[in-house]
Structures are given as structure tokens and as C-alpha cells.
Amino acid sequence: MATPTRRSLRLLLDRDSYAPGETVRGTVELLLPKPLRTRGIRVYLVGTEETEITVSRGSGRNRTSTTYRSQSGILSRGFVLFGGQPVGMMKALGEAIESLTHSLVYPLLPAGRHEYPFEFELPDDALPTWSGTHATVAYSIRAEVDVPVGPDLRFNGGLYVIPPESWTIAPGRRAERHVPGGLLASLQADVSTDFEFNGCPLGWKERLEGRLLVRNRSSKKIRGATISLLSVEHAEARGCVRNTTSVVLTGFFKTPDPAAAAHDITFGFVLDPSLAPYQGSNSRVVYWLQAELDIKFAGDPMIQVPLEIV
């Protein structure tokens, strides 16, 4: 192999994503156009759960905003791939003075390409990666070449953690009746809804299917239903709490005969890779299925069913 023309450091992983408990394997690649003395070559993995909530008070010129943050460590690991551990600031200063008169005793890597494989296991309880409105779960992986009396080489990357393959969405069902009442009774429909869905693995491109049974006891016309998969993020930071609901997947399903007394609406969603239910120290994410009827000249009743992940 030809001698590299410039110095570079890379960290290569064997896969794009990992589940809790799985083994992460990779290689640190160092290219040197000329020999380099080093204290050590190391790799670090850090996982954190962070929440950030901004609270505004007052109005106009008196309006102020304060941002509250909380952080919890998920894991922090370091591995020496070559050489030894880092040195303290005082020792590094002494070595800088020492290098003025003679060479330091650290290993001298020859010019060329150097590869250092590594592997480690993720904890069984590692939280899946999440990036929401107020909460973030993230994993960073870093490689470094510790150069005495010179700038260190660093490579910063990310590691994506997904829910375990063993997790599944359990079947669910909820039935409700919506009876007109109050001053706006004339703008409401007397309907019963039975909302159910089948279980399926919690995995990318898996299909979540179900049906919405509707019995219409009024003269209102039911044009269809909007069925959505929702994520609900709960975040806390320094005593402040925020709950944020986001639409993950949604679709409108028409009824063939809006004036019919009964409707059987079937639906299905191909699951998105971003699904990441979890329970952390300062945040959690859960999922719901929601069905909202579209009724002509009337209010649109809604029914929700939580997703149980087992």
C-alpha cells in the first residue's frame, strides 16, 4: 500500500444500528504520511438522556424566558486500543519541557495505515435513540489519538440504538358510545365506536392493522375516519413538565356509503423506523392509536387506544 499523503483518523462500525444487549464492533483507522509518536489510541462511547424546557413569563417588554435542563447518564465507557491512558495536565506540561532536550519515551508509529478493531456490549437496559421536542436520547462514539506535545487527532460519530427485536405491540381494543347532549346536541351524532387492532412486532416495515366498527343511530352522514399513530413525549427539567403529542403516521379512510347505519373501516400502517418507546429518568415516550370520525354537519367524535409494548 502506498504511503498516505495526509494524516487522517476514522471510526468504522460494522452496522448502522444496534439493539440493547447487542455487541458493537468496529475499527479505528489511522493513516500516517510520516511516523507519529503517541501516548495512546482510545475509543469512547457515551450515552445521555437530556431534557430542555423553556418557560416564558410576562408579556411585551416585560417578557422573560428561562431554559431549564436536566441530564442523566446512560453509559460511559472507554477502551485503550494502543498505548496507555491519558496523562494529567501537570505531567503533560512536564513532558512538553522535556521534549525540548530529548525525545519522549512513547511508542513511535511508522508511516502507513494502522487499524485497531474493538468491540463492546450495550447494556440490556440501554434506551433507544430519541430526538423529540423536549427530550433527547443520544449516543456518541469518539476515537482519539493522544499526541504528546502536539494537537490530538479526534473522530466524533454517533451510534443509533433501536428497540429490541423481541418487543411487540400487543392487541388492543376500546369501545365507546357518543350520545348527543347539552346546548349543541343538534350538532352531534349518536354513534358507537369499537376500535381494535392486531398485535405485531415493533419493527421497521412491520404492519399494524385493525378496524373501526361504527354504529350510527342518527341521520348524520359519516364520510370516513382519520386514523393516526401518535407519540406522546413526557419530559421533566428542574421541576418543569411538558407533554407533547406528535403525529407519526396518519391516513383518511372513506366509508363507501356515508348514510349507512353501520360501518366497518379497516386500516393498516407500515411502521416507521423512528418508533422508540422508552422510560428514562427525566422523560418517557408512549404511543397511541387515535380514530376521529368525519361526520357531515356535526362534531367529529374521537377515540384513542394506548399501545402496549411487551
Side-chain angles (χ1 to χ4, degrees), residues 214-216 218-224 253-265 294 296:
V214 184
R215 181 172 177 80
N216 186 6
S218 67
S219 60
K220 306 292 185 181
K221 293 183 179 181
I222 300 177
R223 293 178 288 202
F253 301 85
K254 292 183 178 180
T255 55
D257 180 9
H263 304 279
D264 186 352
I265 302 172
D294 179 8
K296 189 175 182 179

Side-chain angles (χ1 to χ4, degrees), residues 22 57 69 77 121 155 169-170 175 229 252 254 269 284 300 304 310:
E22 291 187 335
R57 299 177 177 88
R69 297 179 177 86
R77 295 179 179 174
E121 289 188 1
F155 181 94
I169 299 174
L229 176 61
F252 183 76
K254 292 183 178 180
F269 291 116
R284 66 176 179 268
D300 297 332
Q304 294 180 328
V310 296

